[in-house]
Amino acid sequence: MEIITDILSLHARLKKESCIAFIPTMGNLHAGHLSLAKIARKKASCVVVSIFVNRLQFSEIKDFNKYPRTFESDSKLLINENVNVLFAPHESDLFPLKQEFFVEPPLFANILEGEFRHNFFRNVATIVLKFFNLIHPQIALFGKKDYQQLKIISAMVQQLNLPIEIIAGETIRTQDGLALSSRNLYLSTDERSKATRLYQVLLEIKIQVESGSKDFQSLQNKAREILKNRGWEVDYIALHQRNTLAPAQANVQDLVVLGAARLGNTRLIDNLEISTKI
Ligand code: PAF
């Protein structure tokens, strides 16, 4: 694996590659990222992973500063997955000038995560587009764990005619159901033992909807209550349509239930796709 930190060397290394699969990350890699690398390895002759903690997408500087940076162990994990190139640019290389052009995402960027993180998806879409322009991948992989991000990047690729196939990787979970995330590191031992509750309430909604329940409002309310009664601060538990992320409707087949809630100081997000028969 080659570790590349500057744009000129990146271009020189990639110019003869005809099938590049790209996985953007902020590092602190876990089995979720590695599962994307495994899919990428099967699909492309050259696998590129980026590690870049994107300051733009943090609303608070203290969150940006405390984001775990584990470059040494990340690189070892990527070598084991036979990744060809690890691109870890310096901030000054990616942003030689103040970033004043942004990708304006569709309105569904303002709901769910977008309601709680101002301009978050604008800033994610912008950095991802910058990476696409630098790497020119044929394939790019994103995890379903960040469901809204996946949908926004897919819409960007479609609407801006980018010649890139987006592949979605399944969420990887611990044995008790907790979705893998870099943020899990912030949980205390006690919080960790309770953290799986978010997955459990989403799973209960999935089971109820797949068995025919159409009373989405009361399912959502009940899940919120369960979490609140156990000390969580809930941002949202909401059923939406998978592709458009429009609110769920009883006559629509492919749904997803998404949740975000805070346990102590740690904000966790998760989601489950739901398949209903009309
Ligand atoms: O999902 C992430 O880790 C980030 O949002 C991404 C896609 C690497 C952009 O910074």
Side-chain angles (χ1 to χ4, degrees), residues 24-26 52 54 57 124 127-128 142 146 149:
T25 83
M26 298 206 296
F52 180 71
N54 175 30
Q57 71 190 73
V124 168
I127 192 76
V128 169
F142 292 82
D146 294 303
Q149 167 172 282

Side-chain angles (χ1 to χ4, degrees), residues 108-123:
F108 74 83
N110 300 335
I111 59 169
L112 301 166
E113 283 306 285
E115 196 182 327
F116 296 89
R117 302 164 86 180
H118 183 60
N119 277 341
F120 177 68
F121 289 114
R122 180 194 79 157
N123 295 335

Side-chain angles (χ1 to χ4, degrees), residues 56-100:
L56 287 180
Q57 71 190 73
F58 289 81
S59 33
E60 292 193 31
I61 186 73
K62 70 173 185 335
D63 289 342
F64 169 76
N65 288 337
K66 85 164 186 196
Y67 197 84
R69 281 136 172 111
T70 49
F71 192 79
E72 290 303 314
S73 52
D74 289 348
S75 350
K76 286 190 189 130
L77 291 171
L78 295 176
I79 290 170
N80 286 341
E81 298 302 332
N82 292 317
V83 165
N84 302 90
V85 174
L86 166 53
F87 181 46
H90 298 295
E91 206 173 29
S92 55
D93 228 16
L94 269 193
F95 296 101
L97 300 173
K98 184 168 183 270
Q99 188 74 27
E100 290 174 326

Side-chain angles (χ1 to χ4, degrees), residues 243-263:
N243 282 336
T244 56
L245 287 187
Q249 278 170 11
N251 61 351
V252 174
Q253 227 166 348
D254 290 331
L255 302 179
V256 56
V257 59
L258 306 106
R262 200 175 288 274
L263 187 58

